[in-house]
Amino acid sequence: MQHLLQQLLQLAHSQSPLPCVCLRAVKTHQVKRFEAEVATFSFPLQGTFSYRENDDWVTVNPGEMLVVPNARSLDIEYAPCKVSGEFIALSLSLAEEQLEAARLLLAAPASNDTGRVVAVSIGELLAPLNRWIQAMTAGIRPLSLHAMVEVVLKLYAMGCHGLMRPRDPGLAMRIRRMVSKDPAHLWHAAEIEQQLGLSGATLRRRLAAESTSLRTIIIEARVAEALRLLMTSELPVKTVAGRVGYSSVASFSKQFSDRYGIEPSGFR
């Protein structure tokens, strides 16, 4: 297992484009109501993850994989390693095609169970994770996707049935993904209504039924992309603000801290 951890750490330091993101921090950060939009696997390599979905905090250590089986909101905390002084993790969002492939291979009835967020030992997944790393290192994307499908199948056998729950994104999630693709765009209600084929009244009514609003969705999509940029790059806060559609750093900082409970400059 130690060898696998070293391989994952080498992958995190790789300059090659990867189908996952490397998260880094040098201070402990707590992010409130982090929105995982899809099934996500995260590997702490130096330091620890902690998460809280209901009441209790659970810590995920190097050698474990955090499994978020489907879209949900949870509080998370990153804490640097006491020896190196740095937090490093890899995080992978699963494509719907990978989950659909697993459903077809299992030929099992679709699960309505959302499942729980869990931490599992990577020792339980050594063979497919090794194949995944080898395929990504070699730049063979189809084999890396295939290896991750095998990981999903093994997790299902271990009881993570929530991974097989069909994704049925609500209207809010559809709009959020639309905005996330181009967060710097000046989004107007009329443009979104046209793209969705909905009248303004219908859009407002359906979003109210999901306990949200168009303005809230646009803000959350933008600051979520900002959080990703702050955790995966060394871009200045002003540059991050511009990339997600804010001309004012002060306005961006307020929206970010209102959402996550910490100033964006705190990540630096």
Side-chain angles (χ1 to χ4, degrees):
M1 186 169 72
Q2 194 62 35
H3 178 62
L4 180 60
L5 272 175
Q6 288 300 318
Q7 287 183 302
L8 288 168
L9 196 54
Q10 289 174 8
L11 206 59
H13 289 299
S14 170
Q15 298 301 312
S16 302
L18 300 171
C20 54
V21 295
C22 179
L23 309 177
R24 296 174 182 272
V26 293
K27 293 182 180 180
T28 297
H29 299 299
Q30 189 177 115
V31 180
K32 299 176 182 177
R33 296 183 294 117
F34 175 78
E35 296 287 344
E37 297 184 5
V38 295
T40 305
F41 299 158
S42 297
F43 306 86
L45 304 174
Q46 289 186 9
T48 60
F49 267 124
S50 294
Y51 69 90
R52 178 174 62 184
E53 189 173 17
N54 295 312
D55 297 321
D56 299 324
W57 283 95
V58 178
T59 298
V60 187
N61 297 292
E64 296 180 306
M65 179 174 79
L66 176 65
V67 179
V68 181
N70 40 55
R72 67 190 59 210
S73 175
L74 65 161
D75 297 337
I76 56 175
E77 183 178 275
Y78 313 97
C81 170
K82 293 180 180 178
V83 177
S84 69
E86 189 174 16
F87 170 82
I88 301 177
L90 284 176
S91 187
L92 169 75
S93 297
L94 295 179
E96 180 61 21
E97 292 78 6
Q98 290 171 295
L99 296 172
E100 185 57 29
R103 294 185 194 107
L104 291 171
L105 289 168
L106 284 167
S111 173
N112 289 320
D113 181 17
T114 58
R116 296 183 301 111
V117 177
V118 295
V120 301
S121 169
I122 61 174
E124 304 269 1
L125 306 162
L126 281 179
L129 285 178
N130 270 314
R131 284 192 282 275
W132 178 63
I133 292 170
Q134 290 166 9
M136 286 202 298
T137 302
I140 308 174
R141 185 174 180 274
L143 288 182
S144 71
L145 296 174
H146 181 274
M148 198 48 66
V149 171
E150 187 178 349
V151 171
V152 172
L153 293 173
K154 288 186 73 71
L155 288 170
Y156 181 86
M158 293 163 60
C160 297
H161 295 172
L163 286 163
M164 293 298 99
R165 187 170 186 263
R167 189 169 68 192
D168 182 23
L171 181 60
M173 183 63 73
R174 288 171 59 195
I175 297 172
R176 182 186 173 103
R177 288 175 186 157
M178 186 188 306
V179 175
S180 296
K181 289 179 180 178
D182 189 4
H185 180 67
L186 187 60
W187 291 97
H188 292 290
E191 179 182 5
I192 292 174
E193 290 160 13
Q194 182 179 27
Q195 290 198 33
L196 294 173
L198 297 173
S199 68
T202 300
L203 179 64
R204 289 190 294 273
R205 183 175 66 252
R206 288 180 57 179
L207 289 179
E210 295 184 32
S211 301
T212 189
S213 68
L214 188 57
R215 179 176 182 276
T216 298
I217 294 167
I218 292 172
I219 290 172
E220 291 194 345
R222 283 175 167 162
V223 297
E225 175 61 12
L227 176 64
R228 187 190 70 80
L229 289 171
L230 289 168
M231 289 294 296
T232 61
S233 76
E234 296 181 358
L235 293 171
V237 171
K238 182 177 181 179
T239 303
V240 171
R243 287 200 178 185
V244 298
Y246 288 89
S247 57
S248 164
V249 174
S251 176
F252 164 65
S253 296
K254 182 180 185 306
Q255 298 287 5
F256 189 93
S257 59
D258 284 350
R259 178 64 183 81
Y260 292 120
I262 183 172
E263 291 280 341
S265 57
F267 280 84
R268 298 299 158 82

